[in-house]
């Protein structure tokens, strides 16, 4: 038992073990009722239509690929902590066993194992969370039937004609998060107020335009 504890808490396994302990502690606190399951369900502030600081020939470098990568691994499609749980457990298992097999005990040597272990864990999480993705999509299906046209919302993730974003609004006591796009040549950023125009052919995506209220 002592050897096992020394192994999982040595420098090589410090990050995977800390991440797993964080996830376990979170769920224990949730089960005990001290916090709700949405306590850490934060919105990832990713500007899918953003530009990097690097300027090439006077034009910004688009970084929308980051949003595509996160969506590929289902991050944002299910609550953050459910997703993180499916990453942390295989990451810890793979890293601890590889570090033990290779005899790595130092923090820097553990980093050599951490990155490939994290990549494998991301792919594991992508497939393991798929049932949860479908479940949460099912729970949100009723929002597709609700009449949103003509309502206003606040942008929580930037959008343009080519990149989807997210807007939030209250509807009959429910807090809805709806995917949005803009007209050609338009874009909106986080915090902007938008008006729902119509539903697009993309599943669950609505066309919006910037909106300024008249007091």
């Amino acid at each position: 038992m002592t050897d096992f504890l020394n192994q999982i808490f040595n420098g090589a396994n410090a990050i995977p073990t800390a991440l797993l302990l964080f996830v376990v502690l979170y769920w224990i606190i949730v089960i005990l009722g001290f916090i709700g399951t949405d306590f850490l369900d934060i919105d990832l502030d990713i500007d899918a239509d953003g530009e990097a600081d690097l300027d090439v020939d006077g034009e910004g470098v688009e970084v929308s690929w980051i949003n595509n990568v996160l969506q590929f691994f289902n991050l944002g499609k299910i609550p953050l902590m459910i997703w993180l749980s499916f990453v942390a457990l295989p990451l810890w298992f793979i890293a601890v066993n590889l570090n033990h097999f290779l005899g790595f005990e130092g923090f820097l040597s553990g980093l050599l194992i951490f990155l490939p272990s994290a990549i494998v864990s991301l792919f594991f999480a992508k497939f393991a969370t798929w049932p949860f993705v479908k479940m949460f999509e099912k729970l949100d299906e009723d929002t597709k039937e609700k009449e949103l046209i003509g309502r206003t919302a606040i942008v929580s993730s930037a959008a343009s004609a080519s990149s989807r974003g997210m807007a939030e609004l209250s509807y009959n006591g429910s807090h809805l998060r709806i995917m949005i796009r803009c007209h050609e040549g338009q874009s909106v950023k986080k915090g902007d107020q938008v008006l729902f125009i119509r539903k697009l052919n993309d599943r669950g995506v609505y066309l919006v335009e910037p909106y300024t209220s008249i007091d």
Side-chain angles (χ1 to χ4, degrees):
M1 184 65 178
T2 301
D3 291 340
F4 174 73
L5 292 177
N6 289 335
Q7 176 66 31
I8 65 175
F9 285 106
N10 64 28
N13 297 313
I15 298 177
T17 297
L19 182 60
L20 182 62
L21 288 177
F22 169 73
V23 170
V24 171
L25 180 62
Y26 171 84
W27 288 115
I28 289 176
I29 295 176
V30 169
I31 292 172
L32 293 177
F34 292 108
I35 59 175
T37 55
D38 60 346
F39 179 72
L40 289 179
D41 188 19
I42 60 176
D43 292 328
L44 298 178
D45 185 15
I46 302 167
D47 186 352
D49 193 43
E51 294 183 345
D53 292 334
L54 180 63
D55 198 81
V56 180
D57 294 332
E59 296 183 359
V61 179
E62 292 189 0
V63 293
S64 60
W65 63 271
I66 298 177
N67 194 39
N68 294 331
V69 169
L70 295 178
Q71 289 186 9
F72 174 80
F73 289 112
N74 293 337
L75 181 57
K77 297 180 181 180
I78 62 175
L80 173 64
M81 290 307 297
I82 293 179
W83 181 87
L84 188 60
S85 300
F86 281 96
V87 173
L89 184 57
L91 172 59
W92 178 84
F93 181 83
I94 295 170
V96 167
N97 281 278
L98 283 179
N99 285 323
H100 176 71
F101 177 77
L102 297 173
F104 291 165
E105 294 185 355
F107 180 79
L108 293 180
S109 59
L111 291 178
L112 298 176
I113 299 299
F114 179 82
L115 182 57
S117 300
I119 294 174
V120 173
S121 300
L122 286 173
F123 279 98
F124 173 85
K126 173 180 173 60
F127 294 103
T129 57
W130 186 248
F132 290 90
V133 172
K134 304 304 291 184
M135 181 184 71
F136 280 98
E137 285 181 351
K138 184 69 174 178
L139 291 175
D140 290 338
E141 276 184 358
D142 61 326
T143 65
K144 299 175 184 178
E145 305 300 327
K146 296 176 179 178
E147 186 58 58
L148 298 178
I149 307 304
R151 290 183 174 270
T152 60
I154 301 299
V155 176
S156 59
S157 179
S160 68
S162 59
S163 300
R164 291 185 302 180
M166 192 81 69
E168 300 182 354
L169 74 158
S170 295
Y171 184 92
N172 290 343
S174 299
H175 185 70
L176 305 183
R177 300 169 63 188
I178 309 297
M179 288 186 291
I180 60 172
R181 285 186 188 271
C182 298
H183 288 288
E184 194 68 36
Q186 289 185 335
S187 64
V188 292
K189 63 182 185 297
K190 183 176 180 180
D192 287 349
Q193 191 172 22
V194 293
L195 179 71
F196 285 97
I197 304 301
R198 61 182 174 87
K199 188 174 182 180
L200 298 175
N201 291 331
D202 295 344
R203 186 173 65 175
V205 181
Y206 284 78
L207 180 70
V208 300
E209 63 181 27
Y211 177 81
T212 301
S213 60
I214 301 176
D215 296 329

